[in-house]
Amino acid sequence: MAADQTYDERFVHFIVLFNVDEDYFECHEVMEELWLEEGRNVLYQGLLQAAVGLHHYRNDNFSGAVKLFTQAENKLIQYPDAMMGLDLKQLRADIASSLTPLREWLERDAASSSAPPPPFAPFRLVVLDEELRQLSKALAEIPLENRLHGED
């Protein structure tokens, strides 16, 4: 990562919500604000969709998860393997690893209930940039409630 790379605090918070808290709904809330502010950046949208896909998957909305993971794949394929301090190649592989069994289950087994759905398996954003890793680590030390609502 270039030495002059700076990270918006919301981007760092998104990573902590995704990797540490596994709070994919709040990931969506945080990233959507940044996405809109940054002119609907397609990379941010792909990251947001990956988080929402996990949210749907965890909550047994399998068709919603497939839809969002597919949209995330279509956005993230446009980018190099590493960008914004993240390993996008690994993220694309993790999305595909979740998407494939979900698609197969929906096509083959969902209507008949002959087999249980694939178990939820969260994945992490792989942080490549040391500065981003340190920013994320520091933010993760703040309790979730304080990060979401501030100290009143």
Side-chain angles (χ1 to χ4, degrees), residues 18-31:
F18 198 110
N19 285 353
V20 177
D21 304 314
E22 294 182 2
D23 190 334
Y24 307 114
F25 178 82
E26 288 298 334
C27 281
H28 168 265
E29 295 295 305
V30 168
M31 185 56 84

Side-chain angles (χ1 to χ4, degrees), residues 86-111:
L86 299 177
D87 186 339
L88 297 183
K89 180 179 181 180
Q90 184 62 54
L91 178 56
R92 290 189 296 263
D94 290 336
I95 291 169
S97 292
S98 292
L99 187 52
T100 300
L102 280 171
R103 266 193 190 129
E104 290 173 358
W105 181 78
L106 283 171
E107 291 169 3
R108 184 183 62 238
D109 299 316

Side-chain angles (χ1 to χ4, degrees), residues 31-151:
M31 185 56 84
E32 186 174 53
E33 182 182 317
L34 182 58
W35 172 67
L36 290 170
E37 186 178 295
E38 294 292 324
R40 299 179 185 261
N41 178 301
V42 176
L43 175 60
Y44 289 158
Q45 187 178 24
L47 294 171
L48 188 155
Q49 289 169 331
V52 176
L54 285 169
H55 175 74
H56 286 316
Y57 194 175
R58 175 186 278 156
N59 290 292
D60 298 339
N61 178 356
F62 305 115
S63 59
V66 166
K67 178 181 175 184
L68 270 293
F69 284 147
T70 300
Q71 291 173 344
E73 271 189 330
N74 291 337
K75 304 278 186 321
L76 297 172
I77 196 69
Q78 304 173 41
Y79 292 95
D81 290 346
M83 190 165 182
M84 289 291 297
L86 299 177
D87 186 339
L88 297 183
K89 180 179 181 180
Q90 184 62 54
L91 178 56
R92 290 189 296 263
D94 290 336
I95 291 169
S97 292
S98 292
L99 187 52
T100 300
L102 280 171
R103 266 193 190 129
E104 290 173 358
W105 181 78
L106 283 171
E107 291 169 3
R108 184 183 62 238
D109 299 316
S112 68
S113 299
S114 64
F120 175 71
F123 49 82
R124 305 279 182 270
L125 297 170
V126 176
V127 178
L128 300 173
D129 181 58
E130 184 59 30
E131 177 187 359
L132 183 56
R133 192 176 297 121
Q134 292 304 317
L135 290 168
S136 299
K137 182 179 176 185
L139 189 59
E141 292 174 3
I142 299 170
L144 175 62
E145 185 65 23
N146 292 348
R147 279 188 272 124
L148 293 179
H149 305 291
E151 296 182 54

